[in-house]
Each structure stands twice: as structure tokens, then as C-alpha cells.
Amino acid sequence: MAITLVNPNGLPEIDAYRQVSIATGSKLVFIAGQVAWDAEGVNVGDGDLAAQVEQCYLNIATALAEVGGSFNDVAKLTVYVVDWTADKMPQLMEGVTRAAEKLGVTPVAPATLLGVAALDVPDHLVEVEATAVID
């Protein structure tokens, strides 16, 4: 595996992600921000943040599989949530947990969470982009 995730001494340990990603692979993969569209372009989980987060993560896994990788190769995630407030965290984590169970992974790559005013279409509540490194 090309990615090693660590929490350095002197930084807080966060359950949802690791602070540092060490990449040693040879192929750098940038995945465009994924929204809650299924393969036919139909929005999944209208009004349901957890369902949309789950679909975003599944879409990232699909993109990685196409280039010979998996979610375990993710070095960094950026998550954009419309009208973010801290009370949305349980829904966000529920979506991550459901995706992780379906994918059989523990997605704890370093991540940045950003609140945004809007995304490409009003039905999208979240968008997730990823950078991965594959051997």
C-alpha cells in the first residue's frame, strides 16, 4: 500500500482522521469533487446529508477502482458542505460510516471540511474531492 497514515506526537489525535499521510507510491491521482449522483446522473438522497456523503465516498471508490486503486489509497480528502453547522457532524459521520462499511475500509485519511454557501445544483448538500497515491 502506498499510503501510511499517522498522528504525530504533539498534535491532537482525532478519531475521524489522521493528521499526516505519507505517500510512497508512483501514481498520483486527483479525483474531481464528487457529488451524490449515481451512475445515471440521478441525485441520491435528496435532503439527506448522510445519504449524500455515502454516495460521494462510493463515487470516489468507483473512480479509484477504474485506475487500479481503492479507498485505501486516498492520501487527502476535502469535504464541502452547504450551510455547514456543527450540528451536522453526526449526519456527516453517519454517511462516512455507511460508506466505510460498504467498502470494507476505515477512511481516515487527512481531511479538510469546508462550509460553503452553495454547490453546483441546489439538491447537492455535499461534495468530496480526493487525492490518492497508487503503487
Side-chain angles (χ1 to χ4, degrees), residues 21-36:
S21 175
I22 303 164
T24 58
S26 59
K27 187 187 316 184
L28 188 57
V29 180
F30 298 93
I31 299 172
Q34 295 299 301
V35 293

Side-chain angles (χ1 to χ4, degrees), residues 31-113:
I31 299 172
Q34 295 299 301
V35 293
W37 282 330
D38 65 12
E40 287 75 43
V42 175
N43 199 52
V44 173
D46 286 335
D48 183 343
L49 180 60
Q52 289 199 15
V53 169
E54 178 182 2
Q55 186 65 43
C56 291
Y57 274 60
L58 295 176
N59 289 348
I60 289 168
T62 298
L64 285 167
E66 181 68 22
V67 297
S70 74
F71 215 98
N72 287 324
D73 297 310
V74 171
K76 173 77 168 71
L77 293 167
T78 304
V79 180
Y80 304 90
V81 180
V82 174
D83 297 326
W84 174 257
T85 55
D87 64 322
K88 293 182 180 181
M89 185 60 85
Q91 297 166 12
L92 178 80
M93 294 311 299
E94 178 185 340
V96 171
T97 300
R98 291 190 330 217
E101 288 171 358
K102 284 185 177 177
L103 298 170
V105 299
T106 304
V108 292
T112 298
L113 172 63

Side-chain angles (χ1 to χ4, degrees), residues 113-129:
L113 172 63
L114 299 167
V116 296
L119 292 170
D120 59 336
V121 297
D123 291 338
H124 291 153
L125 305 176
V126 62
E127 183 170 328
V128 183
E129 65 182 20

Side-chain angles (χ1 to χ4, degrees), residues 2-3 23-27 133-135:
I3 302 295
T24 58
S26 59
K27 187 187 316 184
V133 179
I134 301 172
D135 283 326

